[in-house]
Amino acid sequence: MSNSDYSALVASQREFFLSGATRPAAWRKAQLEAVNALFTDNHDELCDALWKDLRRNVNDADLMDVAYCAKEAEYALKHLNTWMKPVREPMPVVFEPGHILVHRDPLGVTLIIGAWNEPFMLTFGPLVAALAAGNTAVLKPSEISAACAAAAARLVPKYFDPRAVVVVEGGVPETTELLAQEWDLIFFTGSPSVGKIVHQAAARNLTPCVLELGGKNPTIVHSSANLKVTARRIAFGRFINSGHICTAPDHVLVWPDVKDAFVQHMAETIREFYGDDPQQSPDYGRVINRRNFDRLVTLLDSGKAATGGQSDAADLYIAPTVLVDVAVDAPIMQEEIFGPILPVLEIASVEAVVEWVNSRPSPLGLYVFAEDNAVAERILAATRSGDAVVNDCAIHPLFPELPFGGVGNSGMGKYHGHWGFEAFTNARGVLHHSARVDPDVRYPPYAKHGIQRVIVNKLMP
Ligand code: NAD
């Protein structure tokens, strides 16, 4: 596509939006039904694409992408009437008769740029919110999950009018061209470094952005934690999708008195989940590409493998690995791992945890495993993170009731469920003031109103 093609695409969606066609609830519901149908009718093809790109098993394909998107659309369908209803707020008595309403108005033509690790969730999840809110959308899936991007590009025209939803395939040059267009919202999922490029491009037109970014999610294991359950939940969160999960526990900070027992539980759990040779497990995935494989293999040298540590370049396989004896300044502690390696470091107090979290970029997720509730409460009360989970990790994006998103370096703006609807709308305050009553006391010259004026001032909002 040339630059003029992109301009024409945006112009066509803007014309459609301005026609009013996307505003009625009936249109929005039909689009949400179409998202649901796309993922239901083509379930096997979409799971195959995830297998090709990530060697993802069907269970996890459904959990994070295929059934996930269908359910997100169903949830929006169920709640849409309530979300669309204007909210009434109290009217100050001096302005009676009248009323105050907050409308949730669509923003217009939106651009949704996705990352490769959850290729459908990260493009069609925001799309559900965009459509529920009455917008049009251009989807730009990641070129790295190529099979999934191709499936999306092939299927979307079958389910949507291109004036409402279009997929643009491509990498950096295509995304750069797209970012040069004028949008009403840009919704981006990816790394903080590219997030900054997107934010700068958006600033040229004062376009609002939602930035869903990544980072290192600290995972705290306190002495009071149920170690067996903790190990199972951390192993699930770290090794699902080969560790390519933005909410995965990035590193564990464990109280010294339970460190050895925790590491032992991790080794047993990995064997339970994936057998003696995880490379043969139908449930264990592969690294997305050679570039990430090479990056991750280098990170294996940051400590001693308490379990795992094996790799096979020809198969893009890295064993589920737990690293101990990791220095605080080791390479693995300098970047988001985004792969199946879990460094375990010791920490000895709540104060040290707070200092650790607060002296680093704000994470997307913060996880605390502790049976002693006060420990979790003290940590949460003194730190910042996009979201937080107590006694579990990584799974919170599956709850549409929870706002999902980062803070600081891990992003801005929230979505999922009602939060997504809010992200894709303008809270338009609408004041209706009746012309039937219009007392003089509101207007100059004020001096003539005396005591009445004093009373009105007190009653003003
Ligand atoms: P990325 O930032 O490299 O790419 C994301 C998107 O931006 C892709 O569509 C890509 O084509 C495009 N892009 C890349 N470089 C660009 C450039 N220079 N100019 C314009 N566009 C560009 O991220 P990734 O490698 O696809 O994904 C991994 C990152 O995403 C990790 O940091 C991870 O934590 C984060 N992530 C965040 C969430 C979340 O919901 N917060 C979810 C998944 C992944």
Side-chain angles (χ1 to χ4, degrees):
M1 263 190 176
S2 70
N3 196 10
S4 59
D5 293 333
Y6 290 123
S7 309
L9 171 60
V10 174
S12 140
Q13 287 210 351
R14 181 152 288 117
E15 189 185 344
F16 188 58
F17 174 74
L18 292 175
S19 77
T22 67
R23 287 186 180 243
W27 183 87
R28 304 183 194 199
K29 286 179 184 172
Q31 309 314 302
L32 295 171
E33 302 276 13
V35 174
N36 188 287
L38 189 157
F39 282 91
T40 311
D41 302 348
N42 304 286
H43 175 269
D44 294 355
E45 178 184 344
L46 296 169
C47 289
D48 284 349
L50 284 161
W51 178 267
K52 269 194 201 118
D53 285 334
L54 289 147
R55 233 200 74 154
R56 177 102 66 81
N57 65 70
V58 172
N59 186 74
D60 295 345
D62 270 333
L63 185 71
M64 288 180 275
D65 276 291
V66 184
Y68 172 89
C69 291
K71 281 191 207 153
E72 186 79 7
E74 273 172 26
Y75 185 88
L77 268 167
K78 189 168 154 208
H79 295 279
L80 189 67
N81 287 344
T82 314
W83 295 348
M84 285 181 69
K85 227 181 251 160
V87 175
R88 202 176 180 124
E89 297 291 345
M91 184 75 171
V93 66
V94 285
F95 286 104
E96 292 281 10
H99 55 273
I100 286 176
L101 293 174
V102 181
H103 288 244
R104 280 279 168 189
D105 272 13
L107 290 169
V109 182
T110 68
L111 171 64
I112 298 172
I113 303 171
W116 51 263
N117 61 310
E118 286 142 333
F120 300 123
M121 177 201 257
L122 304 177
T123 41
F124 288 86
L127 177 66
V128 164
L131 295 171
N135 301 285
T136 70
V138 173
L139 307 185
K140 210 301 289 176
S142 171
E143 71 285 15
I144 293 174
S145 42
C148 292
R154 200 182 71 71
L155 292 172
V156 159
K158 292 188 177 178
Y159 290 83
F160 298 96
D161 183 331
R163 294 172 302 167
V165 185
V166 162
V167 173
V168 172
E169 288 185 90
V172 177
E174 292 78 6
T175 318
T176 306
E177 291 293 351
L178 283 170
L179 288 171
Q181 308 305 315
E182 191 163 346
W183 305 93
D184 298 307
L185 177 79
I186 301 176
F187 189 107
F188 171 80
T189 304
S191 57
S193 56
V194 180
K196 287 174 189 164
I197 295 172
V198 170
H199 208 190
Q200 274 172 0
R204 285 197 292 268
N205 293 313
L206 288 182
T207 300
C209 279
V210 175
L211 301 176
E212 299 288 343
L213 312 178
K216 290 181 86 60
N217 304 319
T219 304
I220 319 304
V221 179
H222 182 248
S223 323
S224 69
N226 177 330
L227 293 182
K228 186 172 162 54
V229 173
T230 297
R232 284 156 68 86
R233 292 183 179 173
I234 290 178
F236 180 81
R238 174 74 283 184
F239 302 122
I240 191 170
N241 205 33
S242 318
H244 300 321
I245 301 282
C246 59
T247 55
D250 180 87
H251 51 280
V252 165
L253 303 172
V254 59
W255 259 247
D257 57 330
V258 294
K259 181 197 153 199
D260 290 346
F262 169 71
V263 170
Q264 182 65 28
H265 276 295
M266 285 298 296
E268 282 163 18
T269 301
I270 290 168
R271 206 170 312 116
E272 231 174 68
F273 284 6
Y274 305 116
D276 288 332
D277 181 4
Q279 197 168 2
Q280 306 308 320
S281 165
D283 297 329
Y284 190 66
R286 293 297 180 268
V287 174
I288 181 85
N289 58 21
R290 185 63 198 243
R291 193 172 63 81
N292 271 286
F293 176 86
D294 291 341
R295 179 182 67 80
L296 289 164
V297 166
T298 313
L299 295 183
L300 285 172
D301 295 334
S302 291
K304 189 176 113 207
T307 182
Q310 303 82 2
S311 61
D312 175 355
D315 192 21
L316 294 177
Y317 168 77
I318 294 180
T321 298
V322 176
L323 286 187
V324 291
D325 299 342
V326 177
V328 172
D329 58 355
I332 201 162
M333 299 309 296
Q334 310 308 313
E335 61 181 273
E336 179 182 0
I337 300 168
F338 219 56
I341 311 171
L342 183 74
V344 175
L345 292 89
E346 291 184 9
I347 206 151
S349 69
V350 165
E351 291 70 29
V353 168
V354 169
E355 157 69 15
W356 177 284
V357 176
N358 288 347
S359 60
R360 290 171 168 75
S362 296
L364 184 61
L366 172 66
Y367 312 124
V368 184
F369 289 84
E371 290 304 296
D372 180 348
N373 259 340
V375 168
E377 277 170 22
R378 281 166 60 206
I379 293 173
L380 295 192
T383 54
R384 216 166 69 134
S385 65
D387 298 303
V389 185
V390 178
N391 285 324
D392 213 325
C393 59
I395 57 163
H396 51 294
L398 303 177
F399 295 74
E401 297 78 11
L402 284 177
F404 175 70
V407 64
N409 199 60
S410 54
M412 59 182 74
K414 300 282 173 176
Y415 80 124
H416 291 176
H418 182 247
W419 304 93
F421 179 83
E422 290 203 351
F424 278 89
T425 51
N426 168 40
R428 187 185 205 183
V430 180
L431 176 68
H432 292 263
H433 195 194
S434 168
R436 279 185 282 126
V437 182
D438 195 32
D440 281 351
V441 67
R442 169 178 165 181
Y443 303 109
Y446 299 122
K448 80 171 184 191
H449 304 308
I451 186 69
Q452 274 184 354
R453 184 68 220 161
V454 175
I455 295 166
V456 166
N457 275 346
K458 280 202 182 323
L459 293 173
M460 289 286 272

